[in-house]
């Protein structure tokens, strides 16, 4: 049944009109004349239409719609249980009955504060392979971190509300952004149902294009659900821009005076990602309208631990010197780091980031492989080409089934299969073009033995367990007895139980709302960027230099003559070494005197701790720094300090002109 938007708005408007009349009647009463605000809460309160109608019709009244509208009652009940509140309706008690941040945040924001360098809001985006979300806090208050909880889908097989929204982008026929998340998926489903989808493009699960991609560049593209390609950088930027705009609306609903220049953004990335992938995300954020000076990149597994440690009841995690492993299981990857608690809440990373492509999407891949084994090779591709509506419905059906079906207890898992797919399979069997077994179906349902489904999950669980066991036998990790399991895929009971079964003697901690641990922890990281006192590097980083030639040490093919002096070319000069613990503020300075209008510094890395040459098989060119040198000053008088900072989530490079003291930031171009 399809209902016109005009009818829906009419029904809403009728209800709002009666509500406005009731509020106005209250306001004319003697005891309510001093009221200047209306606090709007409850499920329907998050309707933009309702909010705008009240703001328009209640002149002179400040209509406030706090975040997490649908949770207001239950969270307020918890506050009531912790501290009784007087029910006296006198004016002096009304103020005290409101949550403290509702009033204090409005009062505290002044012009003086808006011009202060300290950010009023720290906001974070968790940009996932399958799902994304955001969270934020005011005035560096890590006890009151808000996350959007009203992502909704019109898909009847999906949950009404979700803590995250799908990482899905819909483009219109002109290749322009149309929508993101549940809205994009629902709209595309409507378009193909009405057979007017031709020219529209739906992009999903495109984040994995950045994982371990040695050919990544600004010109990399991604495929939509029909195989049509589009520049990846634009798709990522559109996604981040949507999340940014959605966030700004949420913040400005509560504090209309705030400017975006007073918001610090944090964007999460897997710690195991390459430097180029991190740069790609930074450039996508810039294209989405986020100023690079107000952007921090955060490692997903690291920041998830920040949230868990602060909100976990385990006393072990609060002890100085305690060690723990963090396993962030998302849709695409497993991101693993090892931490040690330090004084004053700081954290020391004691092992280089590790992990692999062991996320939840592998289960989906195995399901589709199973369908082709049952129905015959090529049937899914034919379904995609001939009946996109049913193909997309099948994808959504299994995604919802995977998230909700208790495979640990059920003997059979039932998946609804489109009749068009069964017809394709039967037709291909009659033509002897493929083998298959359509008898496995009962009507439009496929019942799959739980042992088979568990096997799909094992494609990710087995390599994950092997990896963790190998970590636990390393000398500096052997005494670890606690593992934090976070991320959307970590909410799977099957995954949790398998880790508990295999890792005997290890305490497996899964926090409440494990899928939000990353984004809420990222807010804490934005409040305290140097909370991680040190990190362990996976690579040795350095630059290419000429050294004095020594025939006892250097091969003759490396010999060059420079100004009559024997030199050896392609020497690797290390700045920091692999497996070395680097403080967060670690800085290495290299002095150069230019010889031309432009100085180029090539940066290399190696998995070896002591690489000799940049041309070795285990050495990799990373990127180039470009420094411009003015012709108006003699090159010999333009000595520069080039400083590399390796202990942060990004490689930062700055240049100081020795003669003038002027400093500038350089970008290491890896794309």
């Amino acid at each position: 049944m399809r209902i016109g938007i005009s009818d829906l708005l009419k029904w809403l408007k009728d209800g709002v009109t009666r509500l406005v009349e009731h509020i106005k009647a209250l306001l004319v009463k003697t005891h309510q004349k001093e009221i200047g605000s209306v606090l709007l809460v409850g499920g329907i309160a998050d309707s933009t239409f309702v909010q705008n109608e009240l703001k328009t019709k209640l002149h002179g009244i400040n209509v406030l719609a706090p975040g997490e509208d649908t949770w207001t009652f239950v969270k307020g009940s918890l506050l009531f249980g912790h501290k009784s509140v007087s029910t006296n309706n006198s004016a002096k008690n009304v103020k005290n009955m409101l949550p403290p941040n509702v009033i204090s945040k409005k009062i505290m924001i002044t012009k003086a504060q808006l011009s202060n360098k300290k950010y009023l809001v720290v906001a974070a985006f968790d940009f996932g392979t399958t799902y994304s979300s955001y969270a934020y806090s005011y005035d560096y208050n890590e006890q009151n971190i808000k996350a959007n909880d009203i992502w909704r889908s019109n898909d009847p097989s999906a949950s009404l509300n979700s803590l995250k929204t799908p990482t899905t982008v819909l483009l219109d026929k002109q290749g322009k952004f149309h929508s993101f998340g549940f809205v994009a998926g629902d709209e595309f489903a409507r378009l193909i149902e009405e057979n007017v989808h031709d020219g529209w493009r739906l992009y999903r699960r495109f984040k994995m294009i950045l994982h371990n991609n040695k050919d990544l560049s600004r010109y990399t593209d991604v495929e939509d659900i029909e195989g049509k390609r589009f520049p990846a950088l634009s798709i990522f930027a559109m996604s981040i821009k949507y999340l940014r705009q959605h966030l700004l609306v949420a913040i400005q609903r509560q504090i209309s005076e705030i400017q975006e220049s007073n918001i610090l953004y944090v964007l999460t990335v897997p710690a195991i990602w390459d430097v180029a992938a991190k740069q790609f995300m930074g450039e996508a954020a810039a294209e989405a309208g986020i100023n690079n000076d107000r952007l921090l990149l955060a490692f997903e597994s690291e920041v998830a631990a920040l949230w868990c440690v602060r909100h976990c009841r385990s006393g072990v995690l609060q002890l100085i010197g305690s060690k723990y492993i963090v396993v962030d299981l998302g849709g695409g990857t497993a991101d693993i780091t090892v931490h040690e608690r330090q004084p004053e809440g700081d954290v020391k990373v004691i092992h280089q980031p590790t992990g692999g492509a062991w996320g939840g999407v592998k289960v989906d891949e195995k399901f589709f492989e199973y369908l082709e084994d049952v129905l015959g090779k090529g049937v899914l591709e034919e379904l995609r080409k001939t009946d996109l509506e049913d193909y997309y419905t099948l994808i959504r059906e299994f995604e919802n089934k995977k998230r909700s079906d208790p495979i640990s207890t059920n003997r059979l898992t039932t998946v609804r299969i489109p009749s068009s797919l069964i017809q394709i399979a039967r037709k291909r069997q009659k033509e002897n073009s493929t083998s298959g077994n359509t008898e496995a179906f009962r009507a439009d349902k496929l019942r799959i033995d739980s042992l088979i489904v568990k096997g799909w999950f094992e494609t990710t669980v087995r390599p994950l367990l092997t990896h963790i066991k190998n970590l636990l036998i390393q000398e500096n990790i052997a005494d670890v007895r606690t593992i934090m399991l976070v991320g959307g895929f970590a909410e799977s009971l099957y995954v949790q139980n398998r880790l508990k079964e295999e890792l005997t003697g290890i305490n497996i901690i899964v926090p409440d709302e494990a899928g939000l641990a990353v984004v809420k922890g990222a807010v804490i990281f934005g409040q305290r960027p140097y909370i991680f006192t040190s990190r362990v590097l996976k690579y040795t980083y350095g630059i290419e230099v000429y050294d004095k030639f020594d025939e006892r040490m250097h091969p003759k093919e490396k010999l060059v003559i420079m100004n009559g002096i024997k030199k050896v070319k392609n020497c690797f000069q290390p700045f920091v070494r692999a497996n070395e613990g680097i403080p967060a503020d670690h800085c290495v300075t290299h002095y150069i005197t230019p010889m031309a209008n432009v100085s180029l510094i090539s940066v290399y890395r190696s998995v070896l701790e002591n690489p000799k040459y940049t041309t070795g098989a285990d050495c990799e060119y990373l990127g180039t720094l470009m420094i411009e040198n003015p012709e108006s000053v003699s090159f010999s008088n333009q000595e520069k300090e080039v400083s590399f900072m390796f202990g942060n989530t990004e490689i930062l490079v700055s240049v100081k002109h020795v003669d003038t003291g002027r400093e500038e930031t350089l970008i290491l171009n890896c794309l």
Side-chain angles (χ1 to χ4, degrees):
M1 178 178 178
R2 295 193 175 277
I3 302 172
I5 294 296
S6 58
D7 291 328
L8 285 174
L9 292 179
K10 182 179 181 300
W11 300 340
L12 275 174
K13 197 165 187 176
D14 290 343
V16 172
T17 300
R18 290 193 295 271
L19 175 61
V20 169
E21 291 173 353
H22 182 76
I23 293 174
K24 286 181 176 179
L26 284 176
L27 292 173
V28 299
K29 292 184 178 180
T30 304
H31 295 93
Q32 278 74 33
K33 286 183 178 179
E34 70 277 10
I35 290 178
S37 298
V38 171
L39 190 61
L40 204 57
V41 299
I44 197 66
D46 57 43
S47 164
T48 304
F49 176 80
V50 173
Q51 294 170 22
N52 291 337
E53 282 290 297
L54 264 68
K55 290 176 182 178
T56 301
K57 295 181 178 180
L58 295 175
H59 301 289
I61 299 296
N62 188 20
V63 178
L64 298 175
E68 302 180 341
D69 303 316
T70 54
W71 290 99
T72 304
F73 300 113
V74 69
K75 290 188 175 182
S77 299
L78 286 174
L79 289 174
F80 180 82
H82 284 297
K83 184 178 181 180
S84 60
V85 180
S86 170
T87 56
N88 188 324
N89 288 327
S90 64
K92 67 178 181 179
N93 284 330
V94 170
K95 177 177 178 180
N96 294 329
M97 290 174 66
L98 291 172
N101 62 303
V102 173
I103 295 177
S104 63
K105 296 300 179 289
K106 292 291 288 185
I107 295 173
M108 290 174 64
I109 293 182
T110 64
K111 290 184 179 180
Q113 280 185 303
L114 289 174
S115 63
N116 196 298
K117 290 184 179 180
K118 185 177 180 180
Y119 296 100
L120 293 177
V121 175
V122 175
F125 301 124
D126 177 15
F127 191 85
T129 300
T130 50
Y131 291 90
S132 296
S133 60
Y134 65 75
Y136 57 96
S137 72
Y138 302 109
D139 294 330
Y140 291 72
N141 181 2
E142 66 179 55
Q143 300 302 320
N144 188 22
I145 297 177
K146 303 175 182 294
N148 186 69
D149 70 324
I150 53 173
W151 304 111
R152 290 186 174 141
S153 172
N154 292 326
D155 180 4
S157 65
S159 173
L160 177 63
N161 292 345
S162 175
L163 297 174
K164 292 185 175 184
T165 193
T167 309
T168 303
V169 176
L170 180 63
L171 306 185
D172 63 18
K173 292 182 178 181
Q174 288 71 44
K176 303 296 184 182
F177 175 83
H178 178 274
S179 50
F180 179 86
F182 282 123
V183 177
D186 292 343
E187 177 64 13
F188 190 69
R190 183 191 68 80
L191 290 168
I192 57 180
E193 182 180 348
E194 298 177 4
N195 198 28
V196 292
H197 64 281
D198 188 42
W200 290 73
R201 303 180 179 190
L202 187 76
Y203 293 87
R204 54 194 297 275
R205 297 187 174 179
F206 45 84
K207 182 183 175 183
M208 285 299 288
I209 195 72
L210 303 186
H211 176 67
N212 204 25
N213 185 353
K214 298 297 182 182
D215 298 320
L216 181 65
S217 75
R218 296 180 183 87
Y219 308 104
T220 297
D221 52 21
V222 291
E223 289 187 354
D224 74 347
I225 195 171
E226 295 183 87
K228 301 172 187 173
R229 307 193 73 85
F230 200 83
L233 189 61
S234 296
I235 295 295
F236 278 81
M238 291 173 186
S239 305
I240 297 172
K241 184 177 181 180
Y242 172 86
L243 291 171
R244 166 179 159 260
Q245 292 175 337
H246 200 285
L247 165 78
L248 291 175
V249 170
I251 293 174
Q252 290 170 353
R253 281 167 55 191
Q254 301 171 61
I255 308 177
S256 58
E257 299 94 333
I258 197 165
Q259 302 296 318
E260 191 173 4
S261 58
N262 290 289
I263 301 176
L264 174 67
Y265 290 103
V266 183
L267 183 60
T268 65
V269 296
I272 59 174
W273 263 10
D274 215 341
V275 178
K278 296 168 187 172
Q279 180 185 341
F280 188 97
M281 288 298 289
E283 293 192 8
E287 191 172 314
I290 297 177
N291 190 312
N292 185 61
D293 294 335
R294 293 186 290 106
L295 175 68
L296 293 176
L297 294 186
F299 294 153
E300 293 168 354
S301 53
E302 286 187 356
V303 297
L306 296 181
W307 176 256
C308 294
V309 168
R310 281 161 172 73
H311 297 83
C312 184
R313 297 178 181 178
S314 174
V316 175
L317 297 178
Q318 311 305 323
L319 299 176
I320 303 302
S322 62
K323 298 179 182 179
Y324 51 88
I325 295 175
V326 186
V327 180
D328 176 23
L329 287 177
T333 59
D335 201 27
I336 303 169
T337 53
V338 189
H339 299 167
E340 181 180 312
R341 286 278 285 170
Q342 301 291 294
E344 300 181 6
D346 290 343
V347 179
K348 179 181 180 181
V349 181
I350 61 175
H351 193 276
Q352 62 178 249
T354 58
W358 309 319
V361 296
K362 290 293 183 182
V363 180
D364 300 53
E365 292 173 5
K366 286 297 178 181
F367 167 67
F368 286 106
E369 288 178 12
Y370 174 80
L371 278 184
E372 295 227 324
D373 288 341
V374 172
L375 296 175
K377 301 294 182 183
V379 293
L380 290 174
E381 180 62 19
E382 184 172 341
L383 178 68
R384 184 171 71 92
K385 291 179 178 179
T386 59
D387 198 328
L388 187 60
E389 178 183 357
D390 280 355
Y391 179 77
Y392 186 52
T393 300
L394 177 62
I395 290 174
R396 300 180 95 186
E397 164 76 15
F398 185 73
E399 283 182 353
N400 295 327
K401 179 67 66 173
K402 183 183 70 174
R403 296 177 70 192
S404 61
D405 198 53
I407 65 167
S408 298
T409 55
N410 287 359
R411 189 177 66 84
L412 293 173
T413 293
T414 302
V415 181
R416 188 178 298 276
I417 302 298
S419 59
S420 57
L421 179 60
I422 301 174
Q423 291 170 6
I424 290 172
R426 287 173 176 165
K427 177 184 176 184
R428 291 167 69 96
Q429 289 171 29
K430 288 180 180 179
E431 295 172 351
N432 295 320
S433 61
T434 182
S435 59
N437 179 22
T438 55
E439 301 302 320
F441 294 89
R442 293 185 181 179
D444 62 345
K445 296 181 179 65
L446 175 62
R447 291 174 173 82
I448 310 169
D449 191 287
S450 65
L451 291 177
I452 295 175
V453 180
K454 289 176 182 179
W456 303 341
F457 278 78
E458 285 298 313
T459 60
T460 63
V461 173
R462 276 197 300 268
L464 174 64
L465 281 168
T466 300
H467 185 82
I468 293 174
K469 289 177 180 179
N470 289 335
L471 276 178
L472 288 170
I473 62 176
Q474 297 189 24
E475 184 177 353
N476 65 328
I477 307 177
D479 57 344
V480 171
R481 289 294 175 267
T482 301
I483 292 179
M484 292 184 196
L485 205 55
V486 299
F489 194 42
E491 295 177 344
S492 164
L493 291 177
Y494 181 79
V495 174
Q496 296 173 20
N497 291 335
R498 286 289 288 119
L499 265 66
K500 291 175 182 178
E501 291 170 4
E502 292 277 343
L503 302 174
T504 55
I506 301 295
N507 183 26
I508 307 293
I509 297 175
V510 184
D512 294 335
E513 297 181 351
L516 290 181
V518 170
V519 71
K520 290 189 174 183
V523 174
I524 297 175
F525 176 76
Q527 296 167 351
R528 294 184 59 191
Y530 288 98
I531 192 170
F532 291 94
T533 58
S534 67
R535 292 181 173 88
V536 178
L537 300 182
K538 182 178 181 180
Y539 297 99
T540 295
Y541 292 91
I543 61 174
E544 185 179 74
V545 298
Y546 290 92
D547 202 355
K548 292 181 180 179
F549 182 79
D550 186 337
E551 61 183 11
R552 295 170 300 180
M553 298 172 53
H554 303 131
K556 290 184 179 180
E557 60 268 21
K558 295 290 184 184
L559 173 64
V560 294
I561 307 296
M562 301 181 67
N563 298 325
I565 301 175
K566 291 183 178 181
K567 296 279 188 179
V568 58
K569 64 180 180 179
N570 306 129
C571 290
F572 194 118
Q573 179 179 315
F575 284 167
V576 289
R577 300 185 187 278
N579 302 311
E580 181 181 0
I582 302 297
D585 56 355
H586 184 71
C587 180
V588 177
T589 299
H590 178 67
Y591 289 87
I592 66 168
T593 300
M595 301 176 64
N597 294 341
V598 176
S599 298
L600 300 177
I601 301 177
S602 297
V603 181
Y604 292 81
R605 71 181 182 189
S606 173
V607 293
L608 301 179
E609 294 182 11
N610 296 292
K612 289 186 177 181
Y613 305 106
T614 59
T615 52
D618 36 38
C619 184
E620 180 183 2
Y621 168 75
L622 195 58
T624 298
L625 297 169
M626 185 176 70
I627 304 173
E628 296 182 355
N629 309 303
E631 294 181 347
S632 57
V633 181
S634 171
F635 291 146
S636 60
N637 294 328
Q638 293 191 50
E639 185 181 28
K640 296 177 176 64
E641 294 179 359
V642 183
S643 298
F644 294 78
M645 288 154 278
F646 292 95
N648 295 285
T649 53
E650 303 172 78
I651 298 177
L652 305 177
V653 186
S654 66
V655 174
K656 181 179 180 181
H657 299 255
V658 176
D659 56 333
T660 64
R662 182 171 63 89
E663 294 190 36
E664 57 184 306
T665 301
L666 294 182
I667 297 176
L668 179 61
N669 183 18
C670 302
L671 293 174

